[in-house]
Amino acid sequence: VSRTVKLTSIAVNNPVDATVTVESDNGDKYDLYKSAPGIYKLDNIVLNDAQKYRLHIITADNKSEYRSDFVAVKNAPPIDSIGFNLTPKGIQVYANAHNDGNSTRYYRFDYVETWKFHSLYRSSWISDGTDIVVRTPEQQNYFCFKSYISSTIVLASTAKLTQDVLYQAPIIAIESTSEKIETKYSILLRQYALTAEAYKFWESLKKNTEQLGSIFDAEPTQLAGNIHNINDNSDIVIGFISAGAVSKKRVFIAAEQLPASFSPIYPYEC
């Protein structure tokens, strides 16, 4: 929960202290706890597919109160597999999924990448303040690990297909010179099932934030979410609440699986 910031602002986040509650359409309420500034959670909640849910937010100063529309529960189907194809520039990571009941149709993905790589040179020696001595195993610093949380909006839809089957839906492209695939790469993929309204919101948000800048791109549009200030209709709220279980899958890609011509470019942040 945060306030928007100007594009010219140095700050990228403006968290809000608030009381946050999940409410069902039959009167059940679940209080969320603040795990970090602006981040509110509730562990191990099980949503009833027969009910609808909404989010209720009251700011700490009691000046603003927000509610989302009630939304149906849409649980994401399992991720069937994650793979990759070779491209002229590197690899394209993709996902496969399906719903036998043809009831998902709209998908969103995010992910966490983690990779192992190494420095350009190996340092086998270290100064103990007096002499140069051989590094102990605990002092070895040749290999490095790094993680990255996705920041782009990844969507997929089967709405125009007869079967609810995602085949090789593109997730992320990695260049052949990237440190990510130098030694071993892993991606933890999360899959969300969306309603048509939620998909439209995320699609508009993607166009507004990632597909602007050229004369051929669409003009920015006002984002219409499903969260409202119940006391002030003129208060614009950017966001969309969805409900449902998330599917997860992790895969590893080792350098041995890739062409020998793939070569990282140094230096790195290692």
Side-chain angles (χ1 to χ4, degrees):
V1 181
S2 63
R3 298 286 184 184
T4 56
V5 296
K6 294 182 179 180
L7 292 176
T8 56
S9 173
I10 297 177
V12 295
N13 194 17
N14 186 15
V16 172
D17 284 330
T19 300
V20 182
T21 307
V22 172
E23 302 172 345
S24 73
D25 57 359
N26 73 346
D28 294 332
K29 294 184 179 181
Y30 308 90
D31 295 327
L32 280 65
Y33 67 91
K34 184 170 74 172
S35 62
I39 305 296
Y40 299 87
K41 294 183 177 182
L42 179 59
D43 300 324
N44 302 320
I45 182 175
V46 178
L47 301 181
N48 187 336
D49 294 359
Q51 297 177 12
K52 294 184 177 182
Y53 295 85
R54 71 181 178 189
L55 198 66
H56 187 189
I57 302 169
I58 302 176
T59 59
D61 57 13
N62 290 317
K63 292 183 178 180
S64 300
E65 184 174 0
Y66 303 88
R67 285 198 185 104
S68 72
D69 300 332
F70 279 110
V71 295
V73 176
K74 285 185 69 72
N75 296 320
I79 300 172
D80 293 330
S81 62
I82 304 171
F84 66 90
N85 290 320
L86 298 180
T87 70
K89 293 185 178 181
I91 66 172
Q92 174 68 60
V93 179
Y94 63 77
N96 295 318
H98 76 283
N99 186 314
D100 291 331
N102 294 329
S103 59
T104 301
R105 295 299 183 182
Y106 300 99
Y107 299 79
R108 183 173 72 86
F109 298 91
D110 61 25
Y111 53 85
V112 179
E113 300 174 282
T114 304
W115 60 94
K116 178 182 180 181
F117 59 108
H118 62 73
S119 59
L120 180 57
Y121 302 105
R122 185 187 294 272
S123 173
S124 301
W125 304 84
I126 191 172
S127 171
D128 65 1
T130 302
D131 298 314
I132 303 298
V133 297
V134 177
R135 288 181 182 270
T136 65
E138 292 77 18
Q139 294 171 329
Q140 296 297 322
N141 60 359
Y142 181 60
F143 288 103
C144 308
F145 294 87
K146 194 171 183 180
S147 290
Y148 174 78
I149 300 174
S150 60
S151 59
T152 57
I153 298 170
V154 183
L155 302 171
S157 172
T158 64
K160 296 182 179 181
L161 304 178
T162 56
Q163 298 294 318
D164 193 357
V165 177
L166 280 182
Y167 177 68
Q168 295 192 359
I171 302 299
I172 183 175
I174 305 175
E175 294 187 357
S176 61
T177 56
S178 172
E179 68 179 41
K180 294 180 181 180
I181 51 177
E182 181 218 54
T183 303
K184 196 169 188 178
Y185 170 85
S186 174
I187 182 170
L188 174 61
L189 185 65
R190 293 186 290 249
Q191 177 178 266
Y192 305 81
L194 302 178
T195 61
E197 294 77 16
Y199 183 87
K200 183 178 180 181
F201 170 84
W202 284 101
E203 189 176 43
S204 298
L205 182 61
K206 184 177 181 68
K207 291 179 180 178
N208 277 0
T209 57
E210 300 177 17
Q211 299 176 349
L212 298 176
S214 78
I215 59 174
F216 302 105
D217 291 324
E219 293 184 358
T221 58
Q222 178 64 55
L223 293 172
N226 64 348
I227 311 170
H228 318 281
N229 186 325
I230 64 175
N231 298 316
D232 183 2
N233 292 331
S234 65
D235 188 5
I236 298 174
V237 184
I238 298 176
F240 201 100
I241 297 301
S242 297
V246 182
S247 296
K248 300 179 182 180
K249 196 176 189 67
R250 179 187 291 277
V251 297
F252 295 86
I253 302 174
E256 293 78 15
Q257 299 173 253
L258 304 174
S261 59
F262 282 20
S263 179
I265 295 178
Y266 291 94
Y268 293 146
E269 297 179 8
C270 188

